[in-house]
Amino acid sequence: MKIYLASASPRRRELLMQIGLEFEVLVSNVQEKITAVEPGKVVEELSEQKAMDVFHSIDESEEEILVIGADTVVAAGSSILGKPAGLKDAAEMLGMLSGNTHQVYTGVTLCYRNAGKVQIKTFHEMTKVTFYPMSDKEISRYVSSQDCMDKAGAYGIQGFCARYIKGIEGDYNNVVGLPVGRLYQEAKEFLGE
């Protein structure tokens, strides 16, 4: 069986390698459309769009394939935060997160095909993250590092921003970008394990 990751994220690649999966990366070019409002449904919708886009791009002659699509957002109060549009946007996001608890949602879609039979599974994982208060100077320093730019909520828990994390409740890997423990459990039937 061939496994494909429908994501350009280097963090998702590292997490899949960490759990011993061999895969290829095929990045989705789908125009994302959000119809849901609840964060868990939003990430499920987006992960499914990405996975299905890649799934349909793979030649039918490949009999057994598994495509993994994922999307992550941060929910702070009534706001859903994706990747920041620029440094000002990133600073505003971090200001919202400073001294507060927010939720990180990652949606995952598994598209499996074997001998013409297709199965699709979509789920999401949620982790609560609490930030220590950040001063304007600290926010400015972090934003100027550019580490905030390609990450939902304008931060990466695994990098420099770890100094502002007071605690988490749930799956750490989910905050990095992929709940690999849950993914493996959900994919076991396709992996033959």
Side-chain angles (χ1 to χ4, degrees):
M1 172 176 55
K2 283 190 99 168
I3 300 174
Y4 295 94
L5 173 62
S7 173
S9 165
R11 292 161 297 281
R12 290 192 180 117
R13 284 197 297 263
E14 288 166 11
L15 288 167
L16 278 183
M17 287 189 287
Q18 181 183 315
I19 64 166
L21 291 185
E22 290 184 22
F23 59 94
E24 290 180 31
V25 173
L26 283 179
V27 180
S28 166
N29 295 312
V30 74
Q31 186 66 42
E32 297 175 357
K33 292 183 181 77
I34 302 171
T35 61
V37 290
E38 191 273 310
K41 294 295 178 203
V42 167
V43 291
E44 286 184 8
E45 196 170 68
L46 293 173
S47 73
E48 191 168 328
Q49 289 171 27
K50 292 175 182 179
M52 294 306 290
D53 180 52
V54 168
F55 185 76
H56 290 303
S57 75
I58 298 169
D59 193 287
E60 297 266 338
S61 66
E62 285 193 51
E63 282 207 5
E64 190 178 16
I65 62 167
L66 175 64
V67 175
I68 301 166
D71 196 84
T72 302
V73 299
V74 167
S78 60
S79 300
I80 294 178
L81 310 178
K83 295 176 184 175
L87 298 180
K88 184 175 183 281
D89 192 28
E92 288 172 8
M93 288 182 184
L94 290 165
M96 290 174 67
L97 304 179
S98 172
N100 293 309
T101 299
H102 62 274
Q103 298 78 40
V104 177
Y105 289 84
T106 299
V108 179
T109 296
L110 306 172
C111 297
Y112 176 72
R113 180 176 71 214
N114 189 8
K117 184 181 169 200
V118 175
Q119 289 177 267
I120 299 168
K121 249 189 208 190
T122 300
F123 61 91
H124 74 269
E125 194 69 33
M126 186 274 286
T127 304
K128 292 182 181 178
V129 180
T130 303
F131 265 55
Y132 285 107
M134 297 173 74
S135 68
D136 289 345
K137 184 179 176 184
E138 288 171 321
I139 289 173
S140 180
R141 186 178 334 138
Y142 181 63
V143 168
S144 69
S145 77
Q146 303 271 325
D147 186 52
C148 56
M149 288 314 298
D150 65 337
K151 297 169 179 75
Y155 77 93
I157 195 170
Q158 71 281 8
F160 180 79
C161 199
R163 61 171 57 185
Y164 305 115
I165 305 298
K166 185 173 184 178
I168 74 166
E169 183 182 325
D171 183 354
Y172 171 85
N173 291 321
N174 186 54
V175 183
V176 177
L178 198 61
V180 287
R182 171 96 184 265
L183 185 155
Y184 177 76
Q185 296 304 315
E186 298 279 356
K188 266 193 202 179
E189 64 179 291
F190 308 138
L191 300 171
E193 301 191 12

